[in-house]
Every structure is written in C-alpha cells, then in structure tokens.
Amino acid sequence: MTNITRMQLLRGDLKGKKKPFRPPWAIPEEYFVDYCTRCDKCIDACFDELIVKGRGGFPQMDFKKGGCDFCEDCINVCETNALKKIPDNTQKTKEHGNSDSSEEESYLPPWHIKANIDLTNCLSMNATICRSCGESCDDKAIKFDLKLGGIAEPILNIEQCTGCGACFSVCPVQVITLTPIAIENGT
Ligand code: SF4
Ligand code: SF4
Ligand code: SF4
C-alpha cells in the first residue's frame, strides 16, 4: 500500500503528483516539511522575489518573475537546514587517489529540474522571429537550428540546463515548462 505523506494530505494530492518546486538546495520533501518552520526568511531573502508562500505556508518557487541565479541568499538565512547544501560524496570518491584532485568541496545540485520546449506553438517554429529563451539562458543551453522558410528550431541541451527557469519566464507564448527529473534514489 502507498504511504500518503502529511504534505500530500495538506495539498489534497493523494497520488503525490503535484510536488511544488522548493527553493534550491531544499532537502528531500519528506524532511523538508518537518524541518521548515515556515519562518519566511528565504522568501524575504530572495531579491528577485522568486520564492512565494505556497500551500500550507511552505515556501515554493514561482518562476514567473525570472530565473534563479543560485546566489544562495535563501539558504544562507535558513536556520533549520531545510535548505542546505549537501556535499557530493560520490564526487569525492571519484577524485580519491587522483593526485591532481582539487581541495574544493563539491555539492549535490540545487535541484533536479529541467526545461522542456513544446515546439508546436513556439513562435520561432512558426516563422515569427523570437530568440527570447536562448538570449535569457546564461548557461547557453538553448541554441537555434536554422531551417528553410524562416524557421529556427530551439534546441535544448538537457545536460547544460540547470533548471534555473529564466527561459520559462520570458517565453511570450508560454510553451516552456519546467519538469522535475527522476534521479537514481527516486527523490
Ligand atoms: S538562490 Fe538566490 S535567486 Fe535563487 S531562489 Fe535563492 S535567493 Fe532567490
Ligand atoms: S534552458 Fe535551462 S539553464 Fe537555460 S534558461 Fe532555461 S532553465 Fe535555465
Ligand atoms: S521564447 Fe518561446 S516562442 Fe520564443 S523561441 Fe523560445 S520557446 Fe519559442
């Protein structure tokens, strides 16, 4: 039988499919809702106003105003470690024994979110000039492939995409979505 978490009950989401996007470096959801005291400090700390009060009073990302630049201001004010950078031990193991390995600590990524472009209604695919998503992407994850007939297809490089959400907020026809991706431990 499937376990239903407290947060699923609060959200009315018995199947567990509507997980909100938490701020970057949020610990796994089942711990997050226990550690987070809903103090709002991360919400106040985000200069770009990307964190809003979500269901149950817990903070969640709202990418409508722009993309996250991973400035870490939100995690720096979190006193309960609900937002916390976790050292990437797998990376350390890989580097172990390598005499050139850097002393710098590496951390797990801030989240597992990727952008996705629905090309059907993309302006650029319909012969209207638009490069907004590519221009907003600091990580250069979106490039345009020129085709006949004034069409330029936006090509998203998933590996380079950090899920920052910058492209999501600028697309004039809202054909970009942000999607959580599955990772090995299933979180
Ligand atoms: S890392 Fe910076 S920009 Fe991103 S949500 Fe936190 S405070 Fe806002
Ligand atoms: S493609 Fe990825 S990295 Fe680039 S702006 Fe969109 S979400 Fe950010
Ligand atoms: S911003 Fe939106 S409409 Fe413009 S090229 Fe990118 S996906 Fe297409």
Side-chain angles (χ1 to χ4, degrees):
M1 189 175 138
T2 313
N3 289 326
I4 297 169
T5 66
R6 183 162 67 90
M7 202 55 211
Q8 275 173 253
L9 280 172
L10 281 172
R11 284 199 300 261
D13 173 25
L14 301 187
K15 290 188 176 162
K17 288 189 173 165
K18 294 188 208 160
K19 276 190 195 164
F21 293 130
R22 296 298 177 205
W25 292 286
I27 59 176
E29 184 71 9
E30 62 269 37
Y31 302 110
F32 181 83
V33 291
D34 278 338
Y35 279 63
C36 173
T37 58
R38 294 171 267 187
C39 68
D40 293 351
K41 286 186 179 164
C42 59
I43 296 176
D44 297 338
C46 183
F47 183 78
D48 296 317
E49 300 179 354
L50 303 182
I51 310 177
V52 297
K53 221 172 174 50
R55 200 169 294 216
F58 290 97
Q60 66 182 54
M61 295 301 291
D62 177 358
F63 293 102
K64 283 198 292 293
K65 288 189 179 168
C68 173
D69 59 12
F70 307 109
C71 66
E72 303 184 15
D73 287 352
C74 49
I75 56 171
N76 289 338
V77 295
C78 182
E79 290 168 3
T80 66
N81 288 337
L83 307 178
K84 179 179 166 55
K85 287 175 84 172
I86 311 279
D88 183 356
N89 294 327
T90 55
Q91 209 58 32
K92 243 185 197 160
T93 313
K94 273 186 220 160
E95 284 169 4
H96 190 70
N98 177 356
S99 53
D100 292 334
S101 70
S102 132
E103 288 298 309
E104 213 174 293
E105 184 96 71
S106 62
Y107 294 91
L108 292 175
W111 49 37
H112 300 281
I113 302 173
K114 297 286 178 185
N116 179 59
I117 304 174
D118 175 3
L119 295 178
T120 318
N121 295 315
C122 162
L123 296 177
S124 189
M125 290 297 285
N126 290 281
T128 299
I129 293 175
C130 180
R131 300 285 188 276
S132 299
C133 52
E135 286 165 1
S136 69
C137 181
D138 289 342
D139 296 281
K140 313 245 174 298
I142 301 174
K143 298 225 158 50
F144 285 85
D145 184 18
L146 297 178
K147 299 190 183 295
L148 289 176
I151 289 171
E153 180 181 347
I155 309 277
L156 174 72
N157 182 327
I158 283 290
E159 292 299 318
Q160 273 171 254
C161 175
T162 61
C164 73
C167 57
F168 171 88
S169 62
V170 297
C171 178
V173 284
Q174 290 96 44
V175 296
I176 299 182
T177 48
L178 296 167
T179 317
I181 52 153
I183 52 167
E184 273 168 28
N185 66 8
T187 52

